[in-house]
Amino acid sequence: MSKKWIGLLVIAAMISIVVAGIVKNNIENTTEFDNIALGSDVDFLATKEGLAKGEVAPDFELTTLDGKAVKLSDYQGKKVILNFWATWCPPCRAEMPHMQKYFEEQAGQENVEILAVNLTTEDRGLDKVEAFVSEYGLTFPIPMDKEGEIGSVYQTVTIPTSYILDTDGRVQNKIVGPMNETMIEELIANID
């Protein structure tokens, strides 16, 4: 054999050894990952606060349209419909009569509070909010998110967005889009 062929065989052997080492290492890492992912019996606990089902909804304090301070945590012990809306939003307009009717006729006996957070930074001014509340005869609290922080925390990309909270303040459902009275009744009936 010529020196050229011997050199090529040596290079080929070295490349084979390197490739085999890389493949072996990848197989070991994949097996190790699979064992962790598939063999884990750790129960992941909900974080202290969050938006996932079972997590305590992030607390906040806002001032209502009529000037009262409201804090979400003050409503523990009640089921809460936490709704995010704006006056210019057609689906918000569609759901408000349903929420008001539910509030008037059933909320008291079902131990439910409705907090309809106005996304003030996304809306058209305080006068429009006041006119909207008057037009629809809304009697539940209307907290004003004047800085846009709470809407951001609650990931209200699409409105209306509502969170249904149980009596411990834990998230049970997130609804994106308008609700009607039947839907509200069913959501509330399925939580403690």
Side-chain angles (χ1 to χ4, degrees):
M1 266 188 153
S2 72
K3 288 183 180 181
K4 185 177 180 182
W5 280 107
I6 293 174
L8 287 174
L9 286 174
V10 169
I11 291 173
M14 289 174 49
I15 290 173
S16 297
I17 291 170
V18 169
V19 169
I22 291 171
V23 169
K24 180 181 176 201
N25 189 28
N26 284 342
I27 290 171
E28 288 172 356
N29 287 342
T30 301
T31 303
E32 187 175 308
F33 176 77
D34 287 346
N35 288 339
I36 291 170
L38 299 176
S40 176
D41 61 356
V42 175
D43 288 331
F44 291 95
L45 303 176
T47 59
K48 185 175 179 183
E49 285 189 344
L51 300 176
K53 184 172 179 152
E55 292 182 326
V56 174
D59 199 12
F60 62 84
E61 184 172 341
L62 293 172
T63 302
T64 63
L65 185 59
D66 59 0
K68 296 177 184 165
V70 293
K71 194 172 183 180
L72 181 60
S73 58
D74 290 343
Y75 294 94
Q76 282 200 353
K78 287 185 162 248
K79 301 170 191 175
V80 175
I81 299 171
L82 179 60
N83 175 262
F84 293 89
W85 66 282
T87 60
W88 51 263
C89 160
C92 300
R93 289 182 166 276
E95 86 175 341
M96 282 299 178
H98 297 283
M99 290 198 323
Q100 181 60 37
K101 186 173 183 205
Y102 178 85
F103 186 72
E104 289 173 4
E105 296 177 1
Q106 298 180 57
Q109 67 196 33
E110 297 293 331
N111 191 33
V112 175
E113 185 63 67
I114 295 176
L115 294 177
V117 178
N118 175 261
L119 299 173
T120 314
T121 56
E122 305 295 322
D123 221 320
R124 297 179 177 158
L126 190 58
D127 58 329
K128 298 286 187 197
V129 178
E130 290 171 341
F132 184 96
V133 169
S134 177
E135 177 184 347
Y136 288 94
L138 304 180
T139 57
F140 42 79
I142 310 288
M144 307 295 287
D145 186 11
K146 293 180 180 176
E147 305 299 320
E149 293 175 13
I150 307 309
S152 179
V153 166
Y154 278 84
Q155 303 172 5
T156 56
V157 177
T158 303
I159 56 174
T161 293
S162 298
Y163 289 86
I164 309 300
L165 311 179
D166 66 16
T167 56
D168 293 324
R170 295 188 180 281
V171 175
Q172 295 303 307
N173 293 93
K174 177 181 179 181
I175 296 88
V176 176
M179 298 183 292
N180 62 33
E181 195 173 354
T182 303
M183 188 175 179
I184 294 169
E185 290 169 356
E186 290 171 1
L187 289 164
I188 294 300
N190 291 321
I191 63 169
D192 294 327

